[in-house]
Amino acid sequence: MRDVAVVAFSQSPSVRRETDCNEVEILIPVIHELRTNAGITNEDVDFVCSGSSDYLAGQSFAFVSGLDAVGAWPPVCESHVEMDGAWALYEAWVKIQMGYAELALVYGFGKPSMGDLPLTMALQLDPYSVMPLWPDAVSIAALQARLLLDDGVVSERDMAEVAVRDRANAKQNPYAQVKGDFSVDQILADPYLVSPLRKHDCSPISDGASAILLAAGDRAKDLCKRPAWIRGIEHICEPQDLGVRDLKRSRSTEIAAEKAGVRAGKIDVAELSAPFTHQEILVERALGLGSETSINPSGGALAGNPIMAVSADRAVAHATSGPCLQQNLICVLEG
Amino acid sequence: MSEEVSEPIEVLRLPVELEYQYTAGKSASRFLRGLQQGKLLGQRCPVDGRVYFPTRGCCPQHGVPMAEEGSIELPDVGTLVTYSIVRVPSANIPLELPYVTIQVLLDGADTVMMHVLGECELEDVHMGMRLEAKWKPEEEWETSVGNILYFVPLDEPDAPYESYKEHI
Ligand SMILES: [Zn+2]
């Protein structure tokens, strides 16, 4: 295994609706800032990988225009995943492991405010028997939450506590979208959005972009005083059919955490990117995190796009994809 | 007792319809608003000075943001770089057949624009022709490239091949 580290990071604020800029214009300053801060030029980068969704953009091959922000002449070695940027990071990590790259630029961007996000998400369900019913993403998550509540796996109060914690943490994050001090009793008095989920149980819809620079070995040490070394990275996918999965736990997170070596030492910080409060609880339990870990100091997905963990000795970052935590990625970082 | 056998389902029709509210973006909006005033706006790359037409937020070669101050107005005259005579109808193009699609390099620009040629016999179309835009009446201008009806030949000597060969 080669030593690979995150050496630079930049992001746009998470906003509910970006009215002036198109998707690429959200990304342009983010990549520019990343390269400027890291003191590198395009010629230094030997692999570029992006994560975005044509379904969110509403046009095919939308990610190609994102390359404008990178600058693609002379031709660059480039790839794209139709997923969250975390999976683009995984691909870049593999590329570096294989010896095909030393320095990789990874970015993710999306402007879901252009369409109807909960409905667009229905397209990732089984296309023959489930998707034609057009169950929106919030309703699907609500069914899972109902199962957890009925079986006593979580309570509505547990869920509200997660929201209160994340929103309070997000006050420290200038890029977060939903933040502030709330009390559990106060938000539990709110009406249901889609029973048993209230508004605070759901992550906001965010337009935004973020970018990361990954470097191998000595290259990382040259570029950054304190690189965040990737000590383990793994992603596991569960079956698409909701009926064949155990929705009361996140098996894929458990397996990914095991393979990535989460339990090999104390975790100072964990950034969990779960779009619903009950799912964040499942991820937290699957990772086996205890009181020694600070969870979501950025506010996590429930406050907007999460930032990668910073200023910790040992941190774990999580990303999810698909309905009801279908696929999960775990990354263990050491400073 | 006989079991009822139904026809197997072989085809399932599942229409998908999603609505999007698209934003042209800051740079494209600047270009379109310029068109509404009869202006053709390009943008200069701060690294090598190349002029992109239309305006865009970023130089796609160097990946550097192009600020609004880099916008420059281009003349509505240019050189025919290449062309194609179209004799096959398309559903969304209402032009009368045959017509000539062209790529025009506006004077001062480093990228070509696509349009159609008018007021020219087919046998007279050739690379290097000097052209000028034929605009709709001003009261009909909107935020659209359609404000230019077509390009027409200028009574000028052809541009030398060297001046546009990079853009073919
Ligand atoms: Zn340039």
Side-chain angles (χ1 to χ4, degrees):
Chain A
M1 280 285 185
R2 301 182 78 190
D3 283 338
V4 178
V6 175
V7 293
F9 174 74
S10 67
Q11 69 176 150
S12 73
S14 296
V15 295
R16 174 61 185 85
R17 187 183 299 278
E18 168 55 55
T19 51
D20 294 341
C21 294
N22 60 29
E23 248 191 342
V24 181
E25 286 171 338
I26 297 173
L27 180 64
I28 290 167
V30 172
I31 292 196
H32 188 63
E33 186 192 317
L34 183 83
R35 283 194 293 230
T36 307
N37 291 351
I40 59 151
T41 66
N42 233 6
E43 286 78 53
D44 298 316
V45 175
D46 34 30
F47 184 54
V48 175
C49 198
S50 60
S52 67
S53 169
D54 286 358
Y55 290 96
L56 298 186
Q59 57 188 113
S60 52
F61 290 94
F63 70 91
V64 175
S65 52
L67 281 172
D68 267 17
V70 175
W73 185 265
V76 294
C77 179
E78 181 268 344
S79 184
H80 172 261
V81 294
E82 182 76 16
M83 303 190 79
D84 186 271
W87 276 265
L89 180 134
Y90 183 85
E91 181 175 338
W93 179 82
V94 170
K95 202 88 169 171
I96 295 176
Q97 286 301 336
M98 293 178 74
Y100 291 143
E102 299 296 311
L103 189 63
L105 168 64
V106 179
Y107 57 93
F109 63 118
K111 200 182 169 188
S113 70
M114 285 194 286
D116 185 333
L117 181 62
L119 272 189
T120 306
M121 299 292 261
L123 292 172
Q124 64 185 336
L125 299 161
D126 166 21
Y128 304 107
S129 62
V130 185
M131 200 286 273
L133 304 171
W134 286 96
D136 66 274
V138 180
S139 299
I140 287 277
L143 287 171
Q144 183 186 26
R146 170 58 64 208
L147 177 72
L148 296 176
L149 290 168
D150 286 354
D151 281 21
V153 181
V154 299
S155 68
E156 293 186 25
R157 181 161 285 271
D158 294 338
M159 289 159 62
E161 278 168 1
V162 166
V164 168
R165 174 189 68 193
D166 285 352
R167 289 175 173 190
N169 287 346
K171 286 190 297 177
Q172 312 297 324
N173 179 359
Y175 300 102
Q177 191 178 337
V178 184
K179 46 186 150 184
D181 291 312
F182 297 85
S183 84
V184 171
D185 290 325
Q186 171 200 346
I187 60 176
L188 277 177
D190 287 344
Y192 289 123
L193 183 68
V194 177
S195 176
L197 299 178
R198 296 179 174 85
K199 201 174 170 193
H200 67 253
D201 292 308
C202 313
S203 59
I205 293 171
S206 311
D207 292 345
S210 64
I212 257 183
L213 209 53
L214 271 190
D218 291 340
R219 198 70 214 279
K221 290 175 199 157
D222 291 343
L223 285 167
C224 179
K225 243 191 250 165
R226 200 181 174 201
W229 299 100
I230 295 178
R231 294 304 182 209
I233 184 165
E234 194 63 60
H235 67 99
I236 302 289
C237 193
E238 294 180 48
Q240 185 180 38
D241 191 322
L242 296 167
V244 304
R245 287 165 49 192
D246 183 355
L247 295 173
K248 290 183 282 186
R249 64 198 280 202
S250 179
R251 271 302 282 154
S252 49
T253 304
E254 290 167 15
I255 300 167
E258 175 67 31
K259 287 177 179 270
V262 171
R263 307 264 181 117
K266 176 174 163 267
I267 296 286
D268 301 304
V269 170
E271 280 292 347
L272 315 180
S273 182
F276 297 93
T277 50
H278 64 282
Q279 295 177 355
E280 191 170 310
I281 295 170
L282 293 186
V283 171
E284 193 180 323
R285 289 180 187 169
L287 289 171
L289 300 175
S291 57
E292 78 282 4
T293 303
S294 162
I295 295 171
N296 283 352
S298 77
L302 294 166
N305 273 342
I307 50 171
M308 290 292 288
V310 286
S311 67
D313 291 329
R314 197 154 184 278
V316 60
H318 160 262
T320 194
S321 180
C324 299
L325 300 174
Q326 184 192 2
Q327 187 171 11
N328 291 281
L329 182 145
I330 298 294
C331 182
V332 176
L333 297 154
E334 282 177 13
Chain B
M1 211 170 95
S2 71
E3 208 174 305
E4 237 179 85
V5 180
S6 59
E7 286 292 310
I9 296 171
E10 290 174 346
V11 177
L12 200 56
R13 261 180 209 285
L14 303 166
V16 169
E17 190 180 312
L18 290 167
E19 267 181 43
Y20 294 86
Q21 204 170 32
Y22 187 71
T23 314
K26 280 183 176 172
S27 53
S29 297
R30 208 153 62 231
F31 171 70
L32 293 168
R33 296 226 166 81
L35 275 172
Q36 196 167 27
Q37 298 161 24
K39 290 181 191 167
L40 299 173
L41 293 182
Q43 202 155 17
R44 196 181 289 283
C45 166
V47 177
D48 65 7
R50 272 174 195 257
V51 173
Y52 288 89
F53 177 83
T55 51
R56 52 203 301 167
C58 199
C59 166
Q61 177 166 355
H62 299 100
V64 290
M66 295 200 287
E68 189 171 349
E69 305 81 67
S71 290
I72 56 166
E73 194 178 336
L74 295 166
D76 64 353
V77 294
T79 300
L80 189 155
V81 168
T82 185
Y83 67 95
S84 179
I85 298 172
V86 182
R87 301 176 191 275
V88 185
S90 301
N92 57 344
I93 299 176
L95 297 172
E96 212 175 290
L97 294 173
Y99 61 91
V100 187
T101 61
I102 55 171
Q103 294 212 319
V104 190
L105 184 65
L106 295 177
D107 289 357
D110 289 292
T111 59
V112 294
M113 80 178 286
M114 193 132 175
H115 220 289
V116 289
L117 186 65
E119 299 175 22
C120 182
E121 296 301 326
L122 290 184
E123 54 270 28
D124 294 335
V125 187
H126 60 276
M127 288 158 71
M129 283 175 91
R130 297 285 293 150
L131 306 172
E132 181 181 34
K134 171 95 174 185
W135 295 76
K136 277 185 182 172
E138 190 172 336
E139 56 276 14
E140 292 173 29
W141 286 350
E142 46 190 324
T143 50
S144 162
V145 190
N147 292 354
I148 296 177
L149 292 167
Y150 45 79
F151 278 78
V152 295
L154 269 177
D155 189 17
E156 268 183 32
D158 286 355
Y161 178 65
E162 295 297 315
S163 68
Y164 61 85
K165 68 170 187 185
E166 254 191 74
H167 301 282
I168 297 170

